[in-house]
Amino acid sequence: AGARTARPDIRVIVKYIGSWTDVAKGKEYARTAIQQGADIIMHAAGKGGLGVLDAAAEAGEGYYGIGVDRDQDGEHPGRVLTSLIKGVDTAVYDAVKDLKDGNWKAGEKVLGIKEGGLKLSPMQYTRKDIPAAVLTKLEKVRELIVSGRIVVPKTEEEIQVFEPPKL
């Protein structure tokens, strides 16, 4: 949905390496995606994703990886476009605060962009390469998600019917 919001005509390639630790397989799958036309590859593969970032870096100029979980921008400075950072600190703080205040309840709690559970890295090595208009659009999308005017799809079915906002 994010890719389609950025570019409605985009072609998204989905691959699963089936491992959280297989760096070589992550690299192999990323190389295949690059051969199929991918120029930006986002992983969600734990340590295996380091192979994805390696492949994007090795592909050179015009190819980028997107890190996950923590700021991975420094893995390959200038070749990791950004990283989707999990706000584990926010989740722990909220849980401890709820416990201290007597409000803690067992169960699932989802923290998205609005709640500080997800954020982008500062793009230390790539921000200078991103046009100002793109950064402005990215901030506008973040604001629309926080306000609830964009509802992020959670299932494959929701993605299929997702209509990118006109920005």
Side-chain angles (χ1 to χ4, degrees):
R4 285 185 33 216
T5 298
R7 203 173 84 207
D9 65 336
I10 199 161
R11 182 172 69 100
V12 176
I13 301 167
V14 178
K15 296 190 174 299
Y16 295 96
I17 68 171
S19 169
W20 296 108
T21 59
D22 193 336
V23 176
K25 192 170 240 181
K27 191 173 193 176
E28 171 193 337
Y29 276 43
R31 284 180 173 162
T32 299
I34 289 167
Q35 290 170 354
Q36 293 173 339
D39 54 357
I40 299 174
I41 304 173
M42 179 179 168
H43 81 83
K47 184 178 176 183
L50 294 175
V52 171
L53 300 181
D54 291 345
E58 289 172 9
E61 191 170 331
Y63 296 91
Y64 295 93
I66 296 179
V68 175
D69 297 337
R70 62 175 177 82
D71 184 345
Q72 294 184 307
D73 297 3
E75 293 292 333
H76 294 284
R79 301 284 26 106
V80 178
L81 184 60
T82 189
S83 296
L84 178 62
I85 300 172
K86 287 182 184 174
V88 176
D89 55 340
T90 300
V92 171
Y93 177 85
D94 288 355
V96 171
K97 184 176 183 322
D98 285 349
L99 182 63
K100 178 184 172 286
D101 295 345
N103 298 323
W104 186 84
K105 294 182 182 92
E108 182 178 289
K109 184 173 181 182
V110 177
L111 303 179
I113 291 171
K114 180 179 182 177
E115 300 80 16
L118 298 171
K119 59 187 173 187
L120 291 180
S121 65
M123 299 178 241
Q124 177 180 350
Y125 304 102
T126 56
R127 183 172 288 276
K128 67 187 180 333
D129 301 327
I130 302 169
V134 172
L135 293 171
T136 299
K137 184 176 180 180
L138 186 60
E139 179 56 26
K140 178 69 174 170
V141 168
R142 190 194 71 73
E143 290 170 3
L144 291 170
I145 291 170
V146 168
S147 73
R149 289 184 286 170
I150 291 178
V151 177
V152 177
K154 295 177 180 71
T155 66
E156 183 66 31
E157 293 77 22
E158 290 175 357
I159 290 171
Q160 295 304 319
V161 298
F162 176 77
E163 289 292 328
K166 307 290 186 245
L167 300 173

